[in-house]
Amino acid sequence: MFLAVTGFAQIKTSIPHLTKINGIEQLVVNDKPFLSLGGETGNSSTSTAEYMRPHWAKLKAMHLNTVVAPVYWELMEPTEGKFDFALVDSMLFNARKQEMKLVLLWFGTWKNSMSCYAPAWVKKDVARFERATTQDGKRHEILSAFSQATLTADIKAFTALMAHLKQLDQKQQTVIMIQVENEIGMLGDAREYTDNANKAFAEEIPATLSTYMQKNRNTVMSELKKVWDDAGGKSSGSWQQIFGTGTDADEIFQAWYYARFAGQVAAAGKKMYNLPMYVNAALNHRNAKPGVYPSAGPLPHLMDIWKAAAPDIDILSPDFYNPRFKYYNDLYVRAGNPLFIPEIHFDSSVGAKAMFAVGHYHAMGFSPFSIESLSPGAEPLAQAYKLLEQLWPTMQNATANGKIMEGFLLDKANPVDSIQIGKYKVKVSHEHTLSWSSGAKDSTWPVVGSLIIQLSDDEFYIAGSGSVFTFTTNSPSAVTGILQSDEGYFRNGIWHVTRRMNGDQTHQGRHVRIESDEWSIQKVKLYEY
Ligand code: DGJ
């Protein structure tokens, strides 16, 4: 992991990597924990340098520190074996100019299930690069996970990319993480039906999987456990003997082979340049059966399979185009999987969700989609990012010193949350729960988000929007009071106070409040009387 050893003293510089600090997985960049305040570009936006040119400065103005952007196999290797890194270089140049980082998306064999970014020489050579077929014999523009030729070609291109990044970027560390493929998932059926796929399906499950299942019999995730138990809980046999004769077995089988493919691509890339790597998932609809949604991707119910088959993939990530934000995040952080959100549909709730994701899940990155199509200033995202970038050093201190940090996401259906911090019970309510708030009677309330960071027993930072904090203890004899609440900001890491909030703004000392249309930080000191 350590690179440069020079002179008499050893000067060590690590490349971007993941590490645990006080039990919390962190992304380390330029030797410091890094919170990626990102945005993902539209799919076609980085396919010319010209299109992105006006957007880089705008993204910086929106308080992004990371741009999440595709590298297209077809444009990087238009002719087999001849690589063109001009687009990658242009992204490196522009990101560096704005002092931003990059997460690169390898649009290789798969993009949203399909293989639309495979080079023409791959697409046109169906004999060499086999296509996935469904049970009805239909051939799709989806490259088969069972094709060694496709795997070899993808690895060759991907390792060329990683070698290029190593050569150009390991000192500066502009590229901090890599997404391997994009939203892998079988369409039409839960698995492929090529001859190779059918042959593999008839075989015993691979020894690695069988060992994993036996070793983790009591800890595999509930979804897999149910399928396994329902089929009799055997630890060796064919896919259908172990996972039953329905589409669950089909999907688990396909997930294993997708994960093996992506895992081998990641492993080869890491051998060249060992950056953190993740895969992203198109989340399935509630109660939909395998084969109906893009199946076998790194979905919550398949996490065991992906982890067992692809140990070189560091993170399984959700893409959010549905509103069940807490539900899916709770699933994705199981078994120590860190949270990195590479895509989320851009709407007025993203700022609140960013606060919550960082505060509650210690998310290492957040990234609304099609970021360059938005105008700066109007969006709550910039406001949230502005607070998060100021608070990041304080969050780091809190993590390193075992202090508590928590995030809150509130709306009309879920207007109240709470947490115990030391002796204080902290209740957090949507600002519209105050009967006098201007939106209290509105039929819909905005989604609001906030977080709290413990500084000492009686001191906290509170940040975000639209939230009201009250504090109590269990003590029968003492009442908790707000000694002072100061609104302020950090400049160069130093806290500056803009307002003492002890009058109307704290309801004369009864609560700490951030209005729904405001984004701010307050430093709060409590006492008892
Ligand atoms: C999710 C994909 O990962 C993106 O590349 C893009 O296609 C979006 N969907 C569009 O909503």
Side-chain angles (χ1 to χ4, degrees):
M1 195 57 68
F2 291 97
L3 294 173
V5 180
T6 54
F8 298 106
Q10 289 193 341
I11 301 165
K12 292 180 174 176
T13 311
S14 67
I15 59 173
H17 64 278
L18 303 179
T19 195
K20 274 205 171 122
I21 299 177
N22 247 344
I24 294 165
E25 196 92 54
Q26 306 267 313
L27 170 63
V28 176
V29 178
N30 300 116
D31 297 320
K32 286 200 284 286
F34 184 78
L35 172 62
S36 169
L37 303 172
E40 182 169 323
T41 63
N43 285 167
S44 309
S45 306
T46 51
S47 61
T48 64
E50 187 184 335
Y51 185 85
M52 272 304 286
R53 202 162 291 134
H55 296 301
W56 292 98
K58 186 176 87 177
L59 298 182
K60 179 73 176 178
M62 286 166 69
H63 294 271
L64 267 73
N65 62 18
T66 308
V67 177
V68 179
V71 175
Y72 319 87
W73 187 7
E74 63 171 337
L75 298 182
M76 203 191 83
E77 195 183 2
T79 306
E80 188 171 6
K82 295 218 164 74
F83 297 105
D84 179 349
F85 296 110
L87 290 172
V88 175
D89 294 349
S90 138
M91 286 196 275
L92 283 175
F93 173 81
N94 284 295
R96 284 174 183 175
K97 201 164 142 199
Q98 299 298 338
E99 295 183 3
M100 289 197 284
K101 300 292 182 186
L102 291 169
V103 170
L104 295 182
L105 315 175
W106 173 237
F107 281 9
T109 295
W110 295 295
K111 155 68 176 82
N112 295 31
S113 300
M114 306 292 281
S115 298
C116 44
Y117 283 111
W121 55 267
V122 172
K123 278 186 189 162
K124 283 156 87 178
D125 196 345
V126 183
R128 182 171 162 210
F129 303 106
E130 199 183 10
R131 295 295 173 85
T133 52
T134 36
Q135 202 165 5
D136 55 11
K138 216 164 129 200
R139 200 190 271 170
H140 290 262
E141 199 180 77
I142 301 177
L143 289 161
S144 170
F146 296 85
S147 163
Q148 186 55 46
T150 304
L151 177 62
T152 306
D154 190 318
I155 284 178
K156 196 169 155 205
F158 187 65
T159 47
L161 171 64
M162 296 311 290
H164 186 73
L165 293 178
K166 180 179 181 180
Q167 196 197 353
L168 255 67
D169 195 49
Q170 65 175 340
K171 277 216 187 82
Q172 227 157 321
Q173 305 187 12
T174 310
V175 180
I176 57 173
M177 198 150 28
I178 302 285
Q179 179 185 294
V180 182
E181 316 294 341
N182 189 82
E183 289 195 350
I184 297 171
M186 180 62 191
L187 298 179
D189 275 319
R191 72 168 178 92
E192 293 182 33
Y193 284 83
T194 55
D195 289 348
N196 284 335
N198 288 338
K199 196 168 150 272
F201 191 62
E203 286 166 5
E204 294 234 326
I205 66 162
T208 329
L209 178 57
S210 158
T211 309
Y212 176 90
M213 305 274 292
Q214 284 169 49
K215 211 167 134 199
N216 299 290
R217 181 169 282 279
N218 299 318
T219 51
V220 293
M221 288 168 208
S222 55
E223 304 94 322
L224 187 70
K225 182 93 170 92
K226 182 170 184 325
V227 176
W228 189 19
D229 284 348
D230 286 353
K234 297 180 218 55
S235 37
S236 64
S238 71
W239 294 91
Q240 286 190 323
Q241 280 164 344
I242 292 179
F243 300 114
T245 50
T247 51
D248 285 331
D250 296 348
E251 189 186 33
I252 291 168
F253 160 80
Q254 185 69 32
W256 179 266
Y257 283 98
Y258 273 149
R260 290 278 303 152
F261 189 115
Q264 287 175 84
V265 173
K270 281 184 163 191
K271 232 175 177 177
M272 197 54 81
Y273 183 34
N274 191 7
L275 289 185
M277 300 201 184
Y278 71 94
V279 285
N280 62 334
L283 299 176
N284 47 330
H285 297 299
R286 216 184 290 222
N287 301 326
K289 290 264 169 276
V292 174
Y293 52 85
S295 304
L299 289 159
H301 61 284
L302 300 168
M303 283 174 79
D304 282 294
I305 301 296
W306 273 81
K307 293 265 180 201
D312 284 290
I313 289 179
D314 302 293
I315 307 176
L316 310 179
S317 285
D319 287 349
F320 279 101
Y321 293 90
N322 72 49
R324 301 212 290 164
F325 192 65
K326 275 188 188 180
Y327 173 82
Y328 277 113
N329 282 327
D330 284 345
L331 294 178
Y332 270 95
V333 294
R334 290 178 298 172
N337 185 51
L339 188 62
F340 178 78
I341 301 174
E343 288 184 50
I344 178 163
H345 173 66
F346 199 102
D347 63 22
S348 56
S349 71
V350 286
K353 286 173 179 163
M355 298 299 291
F356 173 62
V358 175
H360 183 66
Y361 298 103
H362 292 271
M364 52 180 74
F366 187 86
S367 174
F369 184 69
S370 197
I371 194 77
E372 77 288 359
S373 59
L374 303 156
S375 50
E379 67 297 318
L381 183 74
Q383 304 283 350
Y385 279 6
K386 199 170 158 187
L387 303 188
L388 289 169
E389 75 189 2
Q390 291 177 62
L391 284 166
W392 181 235
T394 307
M395 292 179 186
Q396 282 314 297
N397 281 337
T399 304
N401 295 314
K403 300 286 184 222
I404 291 179
M405 172 165 84
E406 184 55 279
F408 310 97
L409 188 66
L410 306 171
D411 56 19
K412 198 164 190 175
N414 303 286
V416 179
D417 201 351
S418 67
I419 182 186
Q420 190 75 31
I421 307 184
K423 66 182 172 187
Y424 295 109
K425 180 173 180 191
V426 184
K427 181 177 164 202
V428 190
S429 311
H430 195 295
E431 193 246 353
H432 287 2
T433 57
L434 300 174
S435 55
W436 71 81
S437 99
S438 57
K441 301 216 157 47
D442 292 353
S443 54
T444 55
W445 292 0
V447 177
V448 298
S450 54
L451 55 81
I452 186 166
I453 308 165
Q454 182 189 28
L455 292 179
S456 63
D457 288 350
D458 303 314
E459 272 187 306
F460 307 90
Y461 281 111
I462 277 165
S465 181
S467 305
V468 180
F469 291 73
T470 53
F471 305 87
T472 50
T473 67
N474 284 333
S475 165
S477 55
V479 180
T480 305
I482 295 165
L483 195 58
Q484 64 197 54
S485 187
D486 288 338
E487 182 192 65
Y489 63 92
F490 287 92
R491 191 170 49 211
N492 300 326
I494 310 285
W495 174 244
H496 293 267
V497 176
T498 46
R499 288 195 288 173
R500 171 61 54 93
M501 309 284 271
N502 280 5
D504 287 345
Q505 280 64 41
T506 52
H507 195 20
Q508 342 305 326
R510 293 182 182 88
H511 63 220
V512 175
R513 182 173 85 244
I514 306 174
E515 310 278 344
S516 290
D517 53 358
E518 275 180 16
W519 289 84
S520 64
I521 307 175
Q522 292 185 37
K523 189 174 183 180
V524 180
K525 199 168 173 113
L526 304 178
Y527 78 115
E528 285 181 304
Y529 58 91

